[in-house]
């Protein structure tokens, strides 16, 4: 199947014959212009919202019409098409509807859409609809299946792999994250007799042999519809896996915006030692969560064997970790051991195996001066009651001294990157509601352009002095745990009620944290519960076109090496889902920062209406304000000034392009001729009755977190954070 859109032979013949088009009295005999924008007609349901979210995240412009809004525009011929410079223009390259016909019976709006789609060969996505002959399928009742598909393993068909879902290996697993929550509902059915219907994704009903389509293409009477018969929200893995293909199908692989699957992991505190959780005291001796003088510190620090393991692990998985280092850890160790520090020797010998980031010299807190005589700590104040801050010179010394040590040991650094200890210097609630005013000037003094922030408390990219923040996802693998039993014990302390022996933190913060039904077994809870949950959360970020890095600590690579099962889970699950041409993209911090900055510039230009893009035949033209990078996705073989455009990914090519003051002009390959769907003159009139209601499970329609650590993946948005004290 050819996967690009444009003016079909049908539309071209209509135009050439000067037959009147919608809103056009006398069409010129010329090829139509198709604007690179999607029309999303929403009824407020989760499926259309999910597709809109995919377009928004990728940077693909769309216009949303809310059917529930009293002041919404009327979808008629003038809304859909007009002329520009005497050329017929289709305002939208694709149409997304909640179902195949969300309008009342005999609706003029649906008739206008049908006419528009036929005339300009515009594809239509039925975001979630009932299986029946009107969409090319037999009724699900009787011969098919209608019901829950929680835990079902769907498969991409041969046609799907050859078409819009070729970036997948084949398996499309449906989530089943809770035995008590209905998460997915579907209508499984086979193509109706004589219907030109091609299944792209199929599944077999639970506990039976009934097999039917979940996603397929229905061609009829000059139109093409992508028929989706399962319900989803934007966070569910099954949608995340198929979202790229839905967009590629509706745009024919020619659209603004781009989507890739990113995964980066920062390992903080390298060279230093991390304090250890005390399973008896239920706090961390030497840290601020333990009363002063309580317990005996027993720090966790990597050894040379851990370096060898990390090096071999990276090579086996073709993946690079980012090591954020504190040089004082090495200097102090040598002073205490007559110059010996085997860990540093091993790391320096293997320095080119890793990416390195300045994490300050001593891991000092760079915000307010902390008063740790109370728990939780508070900001110290002077005699006038003013907050006392780490000085500008103190911050500069922390950055510069660590940098000099790294350069002396020939670490492959990028000197404009910085991770401060505990992301300190930036605001942290409730104690420090503003940035240290000395932080920005100190960053400028030391040439820092990219500064890490904690996504759970400071997610938006922002400017701090000379630096732009790059938010990082905290993994719920604790900094103060080197052994599984410590991790599980602390996890139970945070995520169980007081009645079950926990701290009650989960009870006190129900909006961000869900209590466990019972404490985890300390011998099996890590592998059986924490690893699958953390794997799923991290993988959801990877599948969400989200480049932000995750962070753990050097303690998690030591002793029981508890980080690796989670990292292996993410990479192994990913490898089992995606084809070889769709690898994980593993960027360093500054490149992630650039990607996020470009997205922000692009989204601002799109929102302001300053981006204009269209296709005429095999030529794509994009204009954006000077200085705004342009993001595009196009088929293989597309040329820019005679050379291939962009980089290959997922069977397509995508790129950021700085066009300056000029328009970006791309020439599509000859193979990208649009597919013609001939109209059948003997076909009956299109059905204009509204589509039947479809079943939407409560968990899909009303997203909410269902597990500890604010699980965002299954049925709701990410609303939680790693509790205070879990990050160092």
């Amino acid at each position: 199947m050819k996967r690009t859109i444009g003016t079909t032979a049908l539309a071209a013949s209509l135009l050439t014959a000067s037959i009147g088009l919608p809103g056009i009295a006398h069409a010129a005999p010329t090829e139509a212009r198709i604007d690179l924008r999607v029309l999303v007609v929403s009824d407020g349901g989760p499926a259309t919202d999910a597709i809109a979210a995919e377009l928004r995240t990728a940077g693909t412009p769309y216009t949303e019409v809310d059917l529930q809004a009293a002041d919404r525009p009327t979808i008629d011929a003038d809304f859909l098409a007009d002329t520009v410079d005497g050329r017929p223009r289709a305002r939208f390259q694709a149409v997304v509807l909640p179902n195949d016909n969300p309008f009342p019976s005999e609706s003029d709006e649906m008739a206008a859409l049908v006419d528009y789609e036929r005339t300009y060969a515009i594809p239509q996505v039925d975001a979630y609809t009932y299986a029946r002959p009107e969409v090319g399928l037999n009724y699900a009742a009787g011969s098919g299946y209608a019901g829950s598909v929680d835990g079902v393993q769907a498969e991409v068909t041969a046609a799907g792999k050859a078409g819009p879902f070729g970036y997948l290996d084949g398996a499309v697993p449906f989530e089943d994250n809770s035995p008590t929550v209905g998460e997915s509902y579907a209508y499984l059915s086979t193509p109706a007799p004589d219907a030109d219907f091609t299944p792209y994704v199929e599944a077999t009903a639970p506990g039976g042999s009934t097999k039917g389509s979940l996603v397929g293409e229905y061609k009829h009477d000059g139109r093409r519809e992508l028929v989706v018969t399962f319900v989803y929200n934007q966070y569910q893995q099954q949608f995340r896996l198929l979202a790229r293909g839905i967009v590629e199908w509706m745009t024919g692989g020619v659209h603004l915006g781009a989507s890739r699957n990113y995964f980066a992991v920062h390992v903080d505190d390298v060279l230093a030692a991390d304090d250890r959780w005390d399973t008896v005291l239920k706090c961390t001796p030497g840290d601020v969560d333990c009363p002063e003088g309580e317990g005996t510190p027993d720090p966790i620090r990597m050894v040379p064997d851990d370096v060898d393991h990390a090096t071999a692990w990276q090579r086996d998985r073709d993946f690079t970790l980012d090591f954020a280092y504190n040089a004082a850890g090495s200097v102090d160790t040598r002073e205490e051991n007559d110059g010996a520090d085997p860990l540093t020797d091993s790391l320096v010998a293997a320095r080119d195996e890793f990416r390195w980031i300045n994490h300050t010299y001593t891991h000092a807190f760079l915000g307010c001066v902390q008063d740790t005589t109370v728990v939780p700590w508070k900001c110290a104040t002077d005699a006038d009651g003013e907050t006392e801050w780490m000085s500008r010179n103190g911050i500069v010394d922390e950055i510069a001294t660590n940098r000099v040590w790294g350069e002396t040991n020939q670490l492959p650094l990028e000197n404009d990157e910085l991770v401060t200890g505990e992301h300190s210097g930036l605001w942290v609630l409730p104690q420090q509601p503003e940035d240290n005013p000395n932080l920005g000037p100190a960053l400028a003094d030391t040439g820092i352009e990219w500064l890490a922030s904690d996504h759970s408390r400071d997610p938006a990219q922002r400017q701090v002095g000379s630096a732009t923040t790059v938010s990082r996802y905290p993994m719920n693998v604790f900094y103060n745990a080197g052994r599984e039993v410590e991790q599980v014990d602390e996890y139970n302390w945070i995520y169980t009620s007081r009645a079950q022996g926990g701290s009650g933190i989960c009870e006190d913060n129900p909006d961000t944290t869900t209590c466990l039904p019972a404490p985890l077994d300390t011998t099996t809870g890590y592998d059986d519960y924490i690893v699958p949950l953390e794997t799923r959360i991290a993988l959801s970020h990877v599948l969400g076109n989200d480049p932000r890095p995750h962070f753990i600590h050097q303690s998690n690579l030591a002793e029981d090496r508890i980080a690796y099962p989670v990292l292996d889970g993410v990479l192994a699950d990913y490898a089992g889902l995606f084809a070889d041409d769709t690898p994980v993209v593993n960027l360093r911090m500054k490149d992630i920062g650039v990607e996020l900055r470009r997205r922000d510039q692009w989204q601002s230009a799109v929102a302001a209406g300053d981006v204009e893009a269209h296709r005429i035949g095999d030529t794509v033209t994009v204009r954006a304000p000077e200085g705004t990078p342009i993001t595009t996705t196009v088929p293989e073989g597309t040329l820019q000034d005679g050379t291939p455009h962009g980089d290959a990914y997922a069977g397509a090519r995508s790129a950021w392009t700085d066009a300056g003051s000029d328009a970006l002009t791309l020439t599509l390959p000859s193979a990208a001729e649009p597919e013609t769907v001939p109209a059948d003159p003997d076909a009956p009139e299109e059905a204009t009755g509204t589509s039947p209601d479809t079943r939407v499970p409560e968990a899909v329609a009303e997203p909410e977190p269902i597990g500890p650590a604010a699980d965002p993946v299954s049925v709701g948005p990410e609303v939680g954070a790693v509790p205070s004290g879990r990050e160092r």
Side-chain angles (χ1 to χ4, degrees):
M1 185 194 77
K2 298 174 182 176
R3 298 172 54 192
T4 55
I5 65 109
T7 305
T8 63
L10 169 65
S13 66
L14 289 172
L15 292 166
T16 303
S18 298
I19 295 176
L21 298 176
I24 303 171
H26 299 287
T30 186
E31 199 161 19
R33 159 180 160 161
I34 312 293
D35 280 3
L36 301 189
R37 175 174 284 270
V38 175
L39 174 62
V40 178
V41 180
S42 173
D43 62 355
T48 46
D49 286 353
I51 294 174
E54 173 69 13
L55 297 171
R56 182 168 59 252
T57 301
T60 303
Y62 68 95
T63 295
E64 184 167 358
V65 175
D66 183 356
L67 295 177
Q68 298 176 321
D71 59 347
R72 72 172 179 86
T74 299
I75 300 173
D76 57 16
D78 291 333
F79 177 81
L80 296 167
D82 60 4
T83 59
V84 174
D85 298 329
R87 182 185 297 275
R89 175 177 73 158
R91 293 178 182 269
F92 308 103
Q93 66 181 130
V95 174
V96 178
L97 299 183
N99 50 61
D100 54 292
N101 184 358
F103 300 98
S105 181
E106 306 297 329
S107 166
D108 289 340
E109 290 184 290
M110 191 66 217
L113 280 169
V114 168
D115 190 34
Y116 173 72
E117 291 169 10
R118 284 173 174 162
T119 301
Y120 293 99
I122 302 300
Q124 173 183 307
V125 175
D126 305 333
Y128 172 46
T129 196
Y130 190 92
R132 63 195 197 288
E134 287 82 354
V135 293
L137 293 168
N138 291 309
Y139 287 107
S143 62
Y145 170 83
S148 171
V149 285
D150 291 2
V152 162
Q153 179 99 331
E155 292 287 339
V156 179
T157 66
K161 289 183 179 181
F165 301 102
Y167 58 90
L168 294 173
D169 261 350
V172 182
F174 275 59
E175 293 180 343
D176 186 12
N177 299 320
S178 170
T180 61
V181 177
E183 300 163 37
S184 301
Y185 193 93
Y187 301 91
L188 299 177
S189 183
T190 53
D194 301 323
D196 188 353
F197 189 99
T198 304
Y200 288 149
V201 182
E202 294 180 325
T204 299
S209 58
T210 301
K211 187 174 185 178
S213 176
L214 289 168
V215 183
E217 179 175 349
Y218 179 38
K219 300 178 186 176
H220 59 109
D221 199 29
R223 299 171 62 212
R224 296 167 58 228
E225 294 180 53
L226 191 71
V227 179
V228 183
T229 57
F230 74 95
V231 68
Y232 46 89
N233 68 43
Q234 62 181 293
Y235 305 100
Q236 290 179 303
Q237 179 174 284
Q238 53 265 32
F239 172 71
R240 294 258 42 94
L241 291 172
L242 298 173
R244 177 190 303 276
I246 292 172
V247 173
E248 294 306 294
W249 182 89
M250 75 167 80
T251 63
V254 181
H255 60 89
L256 300 180
S259 178
R260 299 195 176 196
N261 298 331
Y262 301 89
F263 191 42
V265 179
H266 294 184
V267 183
D268 288 3
D269 303 353
V270 172
L271 296 174
D274 288 300
D275 296 320
R276 187 188 304 275
W277 174 256
D278 190 306
T279 59
V280 175
L281 294 174
K282 307 303 181 187
C283 63
T284 312
D287 206 351
V288 294
D289 66 337
C290 242
E292 191 169 349
E294 289 285 333
T296 302
D298 178 21
I300 310 161
R301 190 171 188 250
M302 293 171 65
V303 297
D305 281 350
D306 298 324
V307 179
D308 295 341
H309 184 86
T311 301
W313 181 89
Q314 288 190 151
R315 289 176 177 172
D316 287 346
R317 290 150 184 81
D318 191 23
F319 188 85
T320 302
L321 298 168
D322 294 84
F323 277 5
Y325 73 99
N326 307 106
S330 172
V331 174
D332 292 346
T333 299
R334 291 195 190 281
E335 289 180 353
E336 295 166 1
N337 294 278
D338 297 323
D341 184 7
L343 172 62
T344 296
D345 294 341
S346 296
L347 285 168
V348 170
R351 57 182 172 254
D352 293 329
E353 298 286 343
F354 310 101
R355 294 190 292 246
W356 295 83
I357 306 174
N358 190 337
H359 194 28
T360 73
Y361 186 64
T362 68
H363 200 283
F365 191 83
L366 304 185
C368 64
V369 176
Q370 291 179 298
D371 177 358
T372 59
T373 62
V374 293
V375 178
W377 63 269
K378 64 181 180 178
C379 288
T381 56
D382 61 20
D384 296 326
E386 298 295 324
T387 300
E388 295 182 353
W389 299 100
M390 166 71 86
S391 69
R392 177 174 176 176
N393 286 340
I395 298 172
V396 168
D397 285 346
E398 281 287 329
I399 299 169
T401 306
N402 207 51
R403 177 183 294 168
V404 169
W405 188 95
E407 292 174 338
T408 300
N409 286 277
Q410 301 178 5
L411 301 184
L413 287 170
E414 293 287 346
N415 282 330
D416 53 0
E417 298 177 334
L418 178 69
V419 179
T420 60
E422 300 179 63
H423 301 102
S424 59
L426 300 173
W427 64 271
V428 55
L429 297 177
Q431 297 99 324
Q432 183 191 311
E434 60 181 316
D435 295 343
N436 182 345
N438 298 318
L439 177 63
L443 298 177
D445 292 342
T446 50
I448 301 300
E449 296 183 20
W450 304 103
L451 176 66
S453 66
D454 185 335
H455 188 272
S456 67
R457 70 178 192 236
D458 199 0
Q461 191 171 47
R462 62 188 180 94
Q463 202 69 21
V464 182
S466 60
T468 305
T469 60
V470 177
S471 68
R472 308 188 303 165
Y473 286 110
M475 282 187 164
N476 234 3
V477 181
F478 303 139
Y479 83 93
N480 51 1
R483 303 186 181 105
E484 289 184 8
V485 66
E486 296 161 355
Q487 167 76 19
V488 177
D489 185 84
E490 185 174 7
Y491 201 90
N492 284 338
W493 177 248
I494 297 168
Y495 295 117
T496 57
S497 65
R498 292 178 181 87
Q500 294 179 320
S503 64
I505 290 174
C506 60
E507 294 173 286
D508 298 340
N509 299 276
D511 292 339
T512 60
T513 310
T514 304
C515 291
L516 288 164
L520 302 177
D521 187 308
T522 54
T523 59
T524 61
Y526 188 67
D527 288 336
D528 292 350
Y529 184 89
I530 298 175
V531 169
L533 177 59
E534 291 306 307
T535 296
R536 184 156 47 87
I537 291 172
L539 185 60
S540 75
H541 300 150
V542 176
L543 302 184
N545 189 23
D546 190 343
R548 295 173 181 85
H550 296 75
F551 72 95
I552 54 174
H553 295 80
Q554 64 84 32
S555 53
N556 308 140
L557 304 188
E559 299 181 352
D560 285 354
R561 299 170 180 163
I562 62 176
Y564 289 110
V566 176
L567 304 186
D568 279 335
V570 174
L571 295 175
D573 286 357
Y574 185 91
L577 294 169
F578 288 89
D580 292 343
D581 67 356
T582 312
V584 162
V585 179
N586 177 221
L587 301 179
R588 72 172 304 135
M589 189 168 107
K590 67 183 300 180
D591 296 324
I592 293 170
V594 170
E595 172 70 19
L596 293 172
R597 176 186 285 172
R598 284 171 168 169
R599 292 188 187 191
D600 186 61
Q601 291 175 294
W602 174 255
Q603 297 282 15
S604 296
V606 169
D610 294 333
V611 174
E612 186 275 310
H614 63 265
R615 172 180 178 176
I616 300 174
D618 62 0
T619 300
V620 171
T621 304
V622 188
R623 292 182 176 85
E626 186 171 1
T628 299
I630 295 169
T631 173
T632 51
T633 298
V634 291
E636 283 284 0
T638 299
L639 302 179
Q640 178 187 351
D641 298 328
T643 60
H645 175 71
D647 300 313
Y649 192 78
R653 299 190 73 86
S654 53
W656 286 102
T657 306
D658 295 314
S661 59
D662 300 325
L664 171 65
T665 302
L666 304 175
T667 303
L668 300 172
S670 57
E673 287 299 322
E675 183 176 359
T676 299
V677 183
D680 181 358
D682 298 322
E685 289 292 320
E686 289 283 345
T688 56
T690 184
S691 174
D693 289 337
T694 45
R695 167 73 185 276
V696 179
E698 183 179 357
V700 175
E702 302 292 339
E704 57 183 64
I706 65 168
D711 171 16
V713 196
S714 53
V715 295
E718 181 169 357
V719 295
V722 175
S724 175
R726 300 317 104 195
E727 172 217 335
R728 179 180 185 276

